[in-house]
């Protein structure tokens, strides 16, 4: 059997069979080498893509951290301004109380009807008392409104600064 196979491969048929076998081996080897090359190329591309993703994530984290830092700075600044406004309001309230005490002192003291401008028909009118009542009502309303307006202004400015920081 081996002898018959060798006799069949003798001559040009043997060379052709050897060429076909060598070609198949060369194609298999080329296929394997090309696979190695493509594997190396693909793993390089994957490595580059992983690095790009990591860089993009680091940039996104840094950007978000900067935004949060700016937000905290704006909030702390608003708290500082609120504390300063509260101190100013306390000083204004103290001044208001001082003026109220002075008005109370003036209302309770002896009055000269001629100095107050009272005529014979206006004895019941108390101009200082009327002025004091008007002042107290106006001052209380002004303090309440100014505090509210200041709080709204601070909140609006803080919101605007937060929006601009984005």
């Amino acid at each position: 059997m081996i002898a018959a196979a060798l006799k069949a491969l003798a001559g040009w048929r043997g060379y052709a069979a050897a060429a076909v076998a060598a070609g198949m081996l060369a194609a298999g080897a080329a296929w394997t080498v090309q696979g190695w090359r493509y594997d190396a190329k693909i793993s390089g591309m994957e490595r580059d893509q992983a690095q790009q993703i990591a860089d993009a994530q680091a940039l996104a984290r840094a950007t978000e951290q900067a935004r949060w830092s700016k937000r905290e700075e704006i909030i702390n600044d608003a708290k500082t301004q609120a504390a300063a406004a509260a101190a100013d309001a306390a000083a204004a309230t103290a001044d208001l109380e001082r003026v109220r005490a002075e008005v109370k002192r003036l209302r309770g003291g002896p009055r000269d009807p001629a100095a107050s401008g009272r005529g014979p028909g206006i004895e019941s009118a108390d101009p200082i008392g009327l002025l004091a009542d008007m002042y107290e009502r106006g001052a209380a309303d002004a303090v309440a409104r100014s505090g509210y307006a200041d709080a709204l202004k601070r909140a609006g400015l803080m919101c605007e600064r937060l929006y601009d920081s984005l």
Side-chain angles (χ1 to χ4, degrees):
M1 173 131 161
I2 294 180
L6 285 176
K7 189 174 182 179
L9 292 179
W12 69 269
R13 289 184 181 164
Y15 293 126
V20 167
M24 290 176 77
L25 277 172
W31 185 274
T32 302
V33 169
Q34 191 67 11
W36 292 339
R37 287 180 56 210
Y38 283 139
D39 284 345
K41 188 175 183 180
I42 288 171
S43 58
M45 290 167 59
E46 287 173 345
R47 188 176 43 253
D48 291 344
Q49 185 179 16
Q51 183 63 42
Q52 289 174 351
I53 290 171
D55 291 345
Q57 287 175 343
L59 179 64
R61 284 189 191 107
T63 302
E64 190 64 23
Q65 183 64 35
R67 286 180 180 167
W68 277 98
S69 297
K70 184 68 174 173
R71 177 184 174 273
E72 291 300 319
E73 176 185 324
I74 291 169
I75 289 172
N76 289 338
D77 188 36
K79 286 179 182 178
T80 303
Q81 289 176 359
D88 289 345
T93 302
D95 287 344
L96 178 64
E97 289 302 321
R98 184 180 48 77
V99 170
R100 282 182 182 160
E102 182 66 20
V103 168
K104 188 175 184 180
R105 185 187 65 77
L106 289 174
R107 283 177 90 180
R111 293 187 188 94
D112 180 12
S116 67
R118 292 184 196 174
I122 324 176
E123 278 84 21
S124 63
D126 181 14
I128 291 178
L130 182 62
L131 182 63
D133 288 340
M134 287 175 48
Y135 175 75
E136 283 188 34
R137 286 186 208 140
D141 288 344
V143 167
R145 288 187 182 128
S146 67
Y148 183 68
D150 286 345
L152 289 178
K153 179 183 176 188
R154 281 191 309 277
L157 289 175
M158 183 182 73
C159 185
E160 190 176 298
R161 288 180 58 200
L162 283 172
Y163 180 78
D164 290 342
S165 72
L166 295 178

